[in-house]
């Protein structure tokens, strides 16, 4: 009975030590894709550049098992644009803190790491709505007068 108790204590001790000891695993690099989000654009500005990339390539380094787990996650590169306060050309530099990766994964590089675009001040104006009809009505129908309600649109 005593031997069984000692064996059980030894097994529990070994499990605790095995969990506490760092795993010796091969460190690797991998390229993953992160979607690019430009957030915090002030409500009075609008991005006018049509070809902003929707994603960036991120080279990461970490243990093989951590990289395998990372492959199943969706990564996002998020840049806060709330500091922009006027129209013009904007260039942002993406850094590792812009990307949400677990702490045991290191970001080696980001491509492209710079994103350029133009912002313009949002403007509104009222324009008249002038309805017009195209084509002929079906047989037996008569066209009346076209009208719009409301008369103006923003």
């Amino acid at each position: 009975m005593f031997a069984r108790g000692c064996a059980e204590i030894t097994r529990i001790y070994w499990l605790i030590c095995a969990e506490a000891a760092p795993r010796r695993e091969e460190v690797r690099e991998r390229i993953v894709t992160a979607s690019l989000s430009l957030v915090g654009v002030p409500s009075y500005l609008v991005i006018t550049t049509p070809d902003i990339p929707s994603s960036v390539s991120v080279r990461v380094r970490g243990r093989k098992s951590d990289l395998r787990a990372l492959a199943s996650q969706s990564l996002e590169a998020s840049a806060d644009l709330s500091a922009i306060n006027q129209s013009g050309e904007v260039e942002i530099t993406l850094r590792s803190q812009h990307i949400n990766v677990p702490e045991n994964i290191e970001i080696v590089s980001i491509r492209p790491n710079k994103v350029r675009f133009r912002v313009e001040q949002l403007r509104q104006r009222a324009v008249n709505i002038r309805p017009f009809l195209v084509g002929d009505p079906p047989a037996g129908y008569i066209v009346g007068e076209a009208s719009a309600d409301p008369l103006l649109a923003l």
Side-chain angles (χ1 to χ4, degrees):
M1 187 68 156
F2 178 74
R4 180 182 281 177
C6 287
E8 188 63 27
I9 290 172
T10 302
R11 188 176 75 79
I12 292 172
Y13 177 74
W14 184 84
L15 288 172
I16 290 171
C17 290
E19 283 295 315
R23 292 183 285 172
R24 301 280 185 214
E25 233 183 298
E26 184 180 352
V27 173
R28 292 188 171 182
E29 288 189 3
R30 175 179 286 165
I31 296 176
V32 294
T33 300
S35 61
L36 178 61
S37 289
L38 303 176
V39 297
V41 179
S43 60
Y44 57 90
L45 293 175
V46 63
I47 297 173
T48 58
T49 304
D51 56 349
I52 297 174
S54 60
S55 62
V56 293
S57 293
V58 182
R59 180 178 290 275
V60 293
R61 180 183 300 136
R63 294 187 313 219
K64 185 177 177 181
S65 61
D66 294 333
L67 292 176
R68 195 175 312 119
L70 182 67
S72 65
Q73 297 178 1
S74 59
L75 294 182
E76 182 179 47
S78 182
D80 184 12
L81 306 180
S82 60
I84 299 172
N85 56 14
Q86 63 184 7
S87 299
E89 292 291 323
V90 176
E91 180 177 89
I92 56 170
T93 301
L94 296 173
R95 294 185 170 82
S96 58
Q97 60 264 30
H98 293 126
I99 301 176
N100 60 333
V101 293
E103 62 184 46
N104 51 350
I105 300 289
E106 175 189 356
I107 295 177
V108 178
S109 65
I110 304 168
R111 296 284 177 248
N113 69 333
K114 292 186 185 293
V115 179
R116 292 180 60 105
F117 53 91
R118 183 160 186 79
V119 294
E120 297 290 338
Q121 189 164 6
L122 186 62
R123 297 192 176 137
Q124 293 183 355
R125 71 176 187 158
V127 293
N128 290 325
I129 299 175
R130 292 177 288 189
F132 63 94
L133 302 174
V134 176
D136 295 321
Y141 288 89
I142 300 172
V143 175
E145 188 175 325
S147 63
D149 185 24
L151 297 174
L152 296 174
L154 287 179

